[in-house]
Amino acid sequence: MRYALLAAWIVLLAATPLFADNYTVRIAITVAMYSAMALSWNFIGGFAGYPSFSTAAFFGLGCYVGALAQRNGVPLVLAWTLATIFVTAFAVALGAIILRLKGHYFAIGSIAVVEVVRLVISSWGSLTGGGDGLNVPLLSGGPDRVAATVLYVMLAVMLAAFVATVLVDRARLGFGLRCINQNEDAADMVGIDTTRYKIMGYALSALFCGTVGAIYASWVGYIDPTDSFSILLTVKVPVMVLLGGAGTVFGPVVGAGLFVLLEEFFWANFLEWNRAILGGIIVFLIFFLPGGFLKLDYRKLLRRIGIPAKQGGAA
């Protein structure tokens, strides 16, 4: 049932260029983009339970590596591939160091990574343009064609991230990451190579973010350190996963879609207060739905409001 709903959701997003205006297509692209990043974060934050805030660093590096490659004549798809490989390799090297930290220390360290990378990019003006940013070669075609192309590519990345999530969930890696989440010391004692598993989870959390960053740079045509390494981005993605259900297969997709639609609704109707209202709702949901929407006991909720729930229904 859930796979059918996901397929219907992807088809709906993919069909928006056929019947909707540019604004709606942009929202569909944003949903696909954040869904891919939320699925990516779920490997380390959901399965392993490590509160990583490095997402903006991976996304921003993907933007810049993809942009620099294109500016130096590298074909588009190869530039995106190079960005993905570079960001993943960066995460492996960084993970070998930063994953020695745990809990709040790891969270603080991962935030520091974003700031350090942003400062390096900002200071290396001869290569990155510094604070002035970089122009990125535009995609060919008119606005409608570009939007449709970006949407389909983002959906492909989102689908790849979802397939990777399913494979990890059913593999020994997923089991090992969940054991680390439950009790890392005990997992180590029973023979799980916790260091290797954590690095693999951290690398997976960077892989799709790097790809998305490179595609985003090609879409918008201009990048700068402030936008590419936004601290707001690195907070949004974990919140999306928590809303849907951390450590689940479908939770990141549910949370990303819900968050983006709520954000757009409040932005359109409450321009001055949209962030305050959205923040309040998020805090409320996280307090009263700590397991996310997918872990909510709907039968109990229906009974409380006087609606008898069917027995034996699909979970």
Side-chain angles (χ1 to χ4, degrees), residues 12 26 75 106 186 190 207 218 240 244 278:
L12 177 63
R26 186 186 66 79
F106 173 78
V190 297
L207 191 153
S218 299
M240 292 173 183
L278 185 62

Side-chain angles (χ1 to χ4, degrees), residues 9-75:
W9 178 237
I10 292 175
V11 169
L12 177 63
L13 293 175
T16 51
L18 302 177
F19 66 85
D21 55 14
N22 287 336
Y23 173 73
T24 307
V25 176
R26 186 186 66 79
I27 293 176
I29 294 172
T30 306
V31 169
M33 183 179 80
Y34 276 116
S35 295
M37 288 197 288
L39 285 162
S40 205
W41 185 87
N42 194 40
F43 291 116
I44 189 69
F47 285 113
Y50 266 63
S52 171
F53 291 98
S54 307
T55 301
F58 302 145
F59 176 84
L61 277 176
C63 287
Y64 271 89
V65 174
L68 289 171
Q70 286 187 68
R71 286 168 62 92
N72 286 280
V74 177

Side-chain angles (χ1 to χ4, degrees), residues 227-266:
D227 181 50
S228 302
F229 298 93
S230 169
I231 197 68
L232 188 59
L233 170 70
T234 213
V235 174
K236 274 184 180 180
V237 174
V239 168
M240 292 173 183
V241 179
L242 292 174
L243 280 178
T248 63
V249 174
F250 294 92
V253 179
V254 173
L258 184 64
F259 186 96
V260 172
L261 294 179
L262 280 174
E263 188 178 45
E264 289 295 331
F265 174 79
F266 289 120

Side-chain angles (χ1 to χ4, degrees), residues 110-247:
S110 64
I111 292 175
V113 169
V114 178
E115 280 305 294
V116 169
V117 176
R118 186 183 65 81
L119 287 173
V120 170
I121 293 293
S122 299
S123 303
W124 202 349
S126 59
L127 177 67
T128 65
D132 295 332
L134 283 178
N135 289 316
V136 185
L138 296 174
L139 296 173
S140 59
D144 293 342
R145 182 179 175 184
V146 168
T149 301
V150 173
L151 173 61
Y152 296 141
V153 174
M154 286 290 189
L155 284 173
V157 177
M158 169 187 164
L159 190 58
F162 179 78
V163 171
T165 301
V166 174
L167 294 176
V168 168
D169 181 60
R170 298 177 179 179
R172 183 174 175 79
L173 175 59
F175 175 75
L177 291 174
R178 286 198 171 94
C179 289
I180 292 170
N181 191 0
Q182 292 295 320
N183 190 322
E184 185 173 344
D185 293 332
D188 191 38
M189 290 177 64
V190 297
I192 294 175
D193 189 345
T194 55
T195 301
R196 184 166 63 90
Y197 278 30
K198 286 189 297 183
I199 292 175
M200 291 173 69
Y202 197 59
L204 283 170
S205 78
L207 191 153
F208 297 104
C209 291
T211 311
V212 167
I215 299 168
Y216 174 82
S218 299
W219 177 33
V220 298
Y222 170 80
I223 55 173
D224 63 53
T226 302
D227 181 50
S228 302
F229 298 93
S230 169
I231 197 68
L232 188 59
L233 170 70
T234 213
V235 174
K236 274 184 180 180
V237 174
V239 168
M240 292 173 183
V241 179
L242 292 174
L243 280 178

